Amino acid sequence: MLFRSTVMNQLEKGEMDTARSQALNIAESLKIYKLQQGKFPTTAQGLGVLASPPKGKPVMERVPADPWGNEYIYTNPGQKNANSFDIRSKGPDGQEGTEDDVGNWTE
């Protein structure tokens, strides 16, 4: 049973690392979007504008889902990054605002 627990912990850590990496990747794509469009998208516009911008070429082919199959949440201005924006995954529990949320901020 200990082996199974260790494997599950490693799997969850890998998923958390993947979510953080994807959030940082999306954040970089938003910076490119800002260069092309002159500003970051609003929270209401969301991340979909990265694949379907109002003008010009898409920055991303598609915005990935997090490792648990959920969409990333974009808020501008951010709560964790008050002078910027947040890209957040709800984490493995699928609940927004819990301690397993993962995003583009430093812990």
Side-chain angles (χ1 to χ4, degrees), residues 1-6:
M1 202 60 157
L2 178 61
F3 174 74
R4 182 179 177 149
S5 177
T6 302

Side-chain angles (χ1 to χ4, degrees), residues 42-55:
T42 64
T43 300
Q45 287 176 302
L47 296 173
V49 297
L50 294 174
S52 298
K55 62 182 179 189

Side-chain angles (χ1 to χ4, degrees), residues 65-95:
D66 72 12
W68 303 278
N70 299 307
E71 292 183 5
Y72 283 91
I73 300 163
Y74 169 69
T75 53
N76 182 10
Q79 296 170 348
K80 300 274 188 176
N81 297 309
N83 296 323
S84 185
F85 54 83
D86 291 348
I87 306 295
R88 169 183 280 110
S89 162
K90 297 177 190 176
D93 72 0
Q95 301 294 313

Side-chain angles (χ1 to χ4, degrees), residues 2-41:
L2 178 61
F3 174 74
R4 182 179 177 149
S5 177
T6 302
V7 169
M8 293 306 288
N9 288 341
Q10 288 299 315
L11 176 62
E12 187 169 295
K13 182 186 180 318
E15 290 171 332
M16 296 289 278
D17 290 347
T18 298
R20 184 170 322 286
S21 177
Q22 285 178 326
L24 293 170
N25 219 8
I26 293 167
E28 289 302 313
S29 295
L30 283 164
K31 291 174 185 174
I32 294 168
Y33 176 92
K34 181 182 178 189
L35 288 172
Q36 291 178 348
Q37 304 294 325
K39 61 182 180 176
F40 289 115

